[in-house]
Amino acid sequence: MKLKNLLSLGVIGATLIAGSASAEVRDIRIGVDVPYEPMEFRTPEGELTGFDIDLGNAMCAEIGIQCEWVVQGWDGIIPGLQARKYDAIMSSMTINEQRREQVLFSDPYITPPSAWFAPADVEIGTPSKDTLKGLTLGVQRGTLQDNYVTDMYGDVADVNRYATADDMVLDMDSGRLDAAFLDFPIGKSTLLESEAGNYKRVGKKITEPKEYFGDGFGIAFRQRDKELAAAFNEALATLKANGTYDEILAKYFGED
Amino acid sequence: MDALMTWLEAQLADNSIFTLQTLGYYGEGLVTTVQLVALSLIIGLVLAVPLAIGRGSKHRWVSLPIFIYCYVFRGTPLLVQLYLIYYGVVFVEGIQETWLWVILEKPFVPALIAFTLNTAAYTTEIFRGAIKSTNHGEIEAARAYGMSKGLMLRRIVLPSAFRRALPAYGNEVIFMLHASAIASVVTIMDLTGAARFVYARFYAPFDAFLFVAAIYLCLTFAILYLFRYLEKRLLAHLKPASG
């Protein structure tokens, strides 16, 4: 009881001090949960690495501050931010309304893409209402991919909805499906890199429109750290403009 | 009809789940469910009559295979049978090069085969029981008239067995309707498939499944009513005499 009171006093005290701190962006610590390859994971040597880590470090360098990574379990990651164990969270966190009430998000720095996959010998071209007409398309039931395909192509193509991605892959192998639409990383590991499969990606990776594919991953800050968030947004824009962002993306997700 | 549509549209204007589009899914689902169940029941019935007669045969090479078939299909879940026939058939070597694949490629026929074989097994047992419990007196009388076995089967045994089997068969029809809810695991958009779709789309399990439960209930009552009517007509002579 006593300890708890002391702790909350400490938090209040820290808050008061922070409130009077200057607006200048200082060195920070960033909370991250591992492992979640390729976003954040440890190398066999135990070193922290991944897309989030590299991009975060590049942003910090761009802003001109020192950043230290703090490993924190996922269920305590937002309380940890509020308890000042670190000043930001960069850990594949999807931006959503619930979290927005707790934290301040940066601009999304990546939106997990979806993509079309088809057997290597099937010629589809760029997926559109014309090219997908009359085909049998596979999706996982209830996913954002299901909503997207149903709304965009449900009236011109047959949409087969599967309970699991495994069932869908099985029907893809058997030739019952002409194409499947799923999370790019899942499709990559189950179809493109499968032993038996002879598949290819069709068209570009898809992350738009937002109403289907969400807001992507964002860096979370405490609500009051508006200058910090602005500095990171600016850094992200610079890295995207000068090509550093694409380099890091290619390093972890392969060539587009 | 127009008045009904305006009323319906007014009702639908207030909610975001039951739009004309989602009701369209339910409508298609209803058609698919009725087609699937009706077809499997009809084909299953046609198969079950000779199987039930064969099942009672004195020749073991006739009765034993039928016994094993009934045993297997009544002893395993329909869901497993459906999975085996839809996904398992893919692993049969070379099947994709034969004409069979044209039929088996789409989910409807594999589901129909699974449902038909399942209901035929149950119906066979129902009929066999009904045939077995034919009154000995009737058979003796038929023999006394010098009827051949075939004629006796056609005129005496089968008609009375059908009547006795009616209540049990009515249950089988309702069971089949309810069992058909698993069709959506092989991507068929039946009634349950439509409900799952609406559920996943709007995260509204209660609305989606209560609505579909009401439709199943209506179908069940329709079947019950039909069989009640048939029993009344065909089993009238078995009713206790009243003054």
Side-chain angles (χ1 to χ4, degrees), chain B residues 125-142:
Chain B
E125 288 298 317
I126 291 170
F127 282 167
R128 186 191 73 110
I131 291 171
K132 221 178 156 190
S133 62
T134 306
N135 194 330
H136 259 280
E138 290 178 27
I139 295 179
E140 276 167 23

Side-chain angles (χ1 to χ4, degrees), chain A residues 91-159:
Chain A
S91 189
S92 310
M93 187 178 278
T94 301
I95 300 170
N96 68 25
E97 282 312 311
Q98 259 178 318
R99 290 184 185 135
R100 244 190 246 279
E101 286 169 19
Q102 305 285 324
V103 299
L104 174 68
F105 277 110
S106 70
D107 295 338
Y109 57 88
I110 188 170
T111 304
S114 301
W116 288 100
F117 296 90
D121 54 348
V122 173
E123 275 311 320
I124 290 183
T126 312
S128 71
K129 280 213 173 192
D130 288 332
T131 52
L132 296 175
K133 195 172 198 166
L135 299 185
T136 307
L137 311 174
V139 292
Q140 200 177 337
R141 181 187 294 128
T143 55
L144 57 92
Q145 287 87 5
D146 183 359
N147 292 345
Y148 174 80
V149 172
T150 301
D151 288 355
M152 304 284 285
Y153 308 111
D155 51 341
V156 295
D158 278 340
V159 182

Side-chain angles (χ1 to χ4, degrees), chain B residues 231-242:
Chain B
E231 282 169 33
K232 223 176 181 174
R233 287 285 302 268
L234 299 176
L235 301 177
H237 63 289
L238 294 178
K239 264 195 173 166
S242 59

Side-chain angles (χ1 to χ4, degrees), chain A residues 9 28 33 52 60 77 113 141-142 162 164 182 186 222:
Chain A
L9 261 180
I28 62 163
D33 178 30
D52 279 356
C60 292
I77 207 161
R141 181 187 294 128
Y162 294 88
T164 69
L182 64 170
I186 298 177
R222 283 182 288 274

